[in-house]
Every structure is written in structure tokens, then in C-alpha cells.
Amino acid sequence: ALELDESLAEAHMVLGWIGFLYDWDWKAAERELLRAIELSPNNSDAHRAYAHFLSNSQRHDEAIAEGKRARELAPLTLITAALEGQFLFYAGRDSEAIERLKQTLELDPDYWVAHNALGRVYLRQGRNADAISELRRAAELAGNSSEPIMQLGYGLASLGDLAGAQTAIRQMESLSKVNNVPAYNFAMIYNGLGETDKAIDHLEESIKKHEIQLAFI
């Protein structure tokens, strides 16, 4: 596409995502995402992608600024609003993250991504009942996504509910028969259970599969 037209912001943005989540080439990812923003400064998706990259790079202040800009450009886009909450969470700004995620749920009370992120914030705060309630709600709403099942399993494991964590593992095993379930997700729950060998085994499998979740480590 870029051979036909180098000024296609969307193509640069996709190359940025590939560099970030698949190639793990941070320099190439940032170069492509900045080029996308340069070509299309009002493209909310490009700002959101760059914010995600910055957040994972622990450049939190920059990430939050980019996430806010993305939301301002597309205030009704649920994933943009929810991810802004995630960026605040990764920056350790829990109260702001909760506020943003609750505002996202005002747009759509059934948006599982926001429930999932809110549960993670509550878990870190020690609001355990609220955390499990939000994570269960996310899992109920998410259909065939294993992400909230993993987060719920990890949360239950970290709170000592070993049976609940094992149930989450069995749910992911069942789901894997009809849908892709990243090995990384199993590693997370086994890590919460303190079963280090199993966690490492699944992480090694995740590396072999080149799973995009590894960009979060």
C-alpha cells in the first residue's frame, strides 16, 4: 500500500501495531506510529495506538496525554475510553482510572473491556469483593474471549481461592477446543497459584507461538 501511496496514515499505523505487538521492534513501531499521526493528526485510532505503545514502554505521562487526545477526537468510541483507563492504571493513578472506566460504562454498561479493567484496579486496591464482581461480569459479557476468564482466574488465585482458579483453567481448556486461547493466559493463572514450573512451561509455549500478549511483560 505504501508503495502506491506513502502518505497512507492507516498503513503506517498498522505497521506500527505490527512492530509493537508482533515484531517487538520498538523503534520501528514508534517511527511508524508517529508518521501516522503526522499524516493524520486528527486520527483517533493512531493516537490510541501510540498511547498503547507508550504505556507498555512505561512512558506513562506521554501515554496518558495521547490517550486523552484519542478520546477527545472520538469521545463515543468505547475501546478508546476504556484503554485510557488502562493507561491510567498502568501509571499507578488508580482513582483516575476508576473514574474513566466508570464513565466508559455510562456509555455502555455491558462493555466487558471496561468491567475487566475496573476489576484489575480494584484487585490492586484490595477491594476484593468489588474486583471479583467486576471480573465475573466481564467474563459473562465477553463471549468467547479468554481474557476476562484469565483475569478472573488470576484474581481468585491471588486471593487464595484455588478451586475458583482451577475452574477458570478448565473453562479456558474447554474454550481452547473451539477458539484460540493464548498459552500466556494459562501462565498468568498458574503464576497466581504459585505453580512456577507450569507458568514457565506455558510462557515458553507462548514464545514459540510468538503471542502478542508477551508485549505486556
Side-chain angles (χ1 to χ4, degrees):
L2 291 175
E3 287 176 2
L4 295 173
D5 184 355
E6 196 282 333
S7 67
L8 289 172
E10 291 83 359
H12 286 287
M13 182 176 63
V14 173
L15 286 175
W17 277 117
I18 292 169
F20 167 28
L21 291 176
Y22 188 78
D23 288 341
W24 307 328
D25 185 338
W26 318 126
K27 290 182 179 179
E30 184 164 23
R31 181 178 65 247
E32 294 291 347
L33 293 171
L34 286 173
R35 180 61 175 149
I37 291 170
E38 178 185 15
L39 290 166
S40 185
N42 292 324
N43 186 323
S44 174
D45 291 345
H47 285 282
R48 183 180 74 231
Y50 189 42
H52 211 324
F53 166 82
L54 290 167
S55 179
N56 276 41
S57 302
Q58 299 188 49
R59 293 160 60 181
H60 298 302
D61 290 342
E62 294 173 84
I64 291 167
E66 285 292 322
K68 180 181 178 181
R69 180 61 178 150
R71 175 177 51 81
E72 289 171 343
L73 289 166
L76 299 180
T77 302
L78 292 171
I79 187 61
T80 300
L83 282 176
E84 186 182 5
Q86 178 177 292
F87 305 149
L88 289 161
F89 169 63
Y90 286 164
R93 293 162 61 168
D94 287 359
S95 60
E96 293 171 77
I98 291 170
E99 180 181 3
R100 172 54 51 206
L101 292 165
K102 285 185 174 180
Q103 288 172 348
T104 305
L105 289 169
E106 289 175 4
L107 297 174
D108 183 352
D110 292 335
Y111 190 49
W112 75 263
V113 175
H115 285 289
N116 190 63
L118 192 55
R120 297 176 68 195
V121 182
Y122 286 152
L123 188 65
R124 183 162 73 186
Q125 289 191 322
R127 295 171 59 177
N128 298 338
D130 290 335
I132 298 305
S133 176
E134 290 293 337
L135 293 171
R136 287 195 190 282
R137 183 62 177 147
E140 290 170 0
L141 293 168
N144 286 332
S145 174
S146 62
E147 164 71 18
I149 300 173
M150 175 267 285
Q151 295 291 353
L152 174 61
Y154 175 79
L156 292 169
S158 66
L159 297 176
D161 185 348
L162 307 187
Q166 291 291 346
T167 296
I169 290 173
R170 288 194 297 272
Q171 287 177 323
M172 292 199 305
E173 289 173 342
S174 178
L175 184 59
S176 69
K177 297 175 182 177
V178 295
N179 199 19
N180 177 58
V181 176
Y184 178 96
N185 289 3
F186 289 98
M188 278 287 291
I189 300 181
Y190 282 120
N191 181 52
L193 288 167
E195 297 187 32
T196 307
D197 289 344
K198 288 184 178 179
I200 290 175
D201 287 345
H202 281 89
L203 284 175
E204 288 178 344
E205 182 182 353
S206 183
I207 290 170
K208 290 176 183 177
K209 292 180 176 179
H210 210 92
E211 293 177 343
I212 64 172
Q213 287 80 8
L214 291 168
F216 287 85
I217 295 184

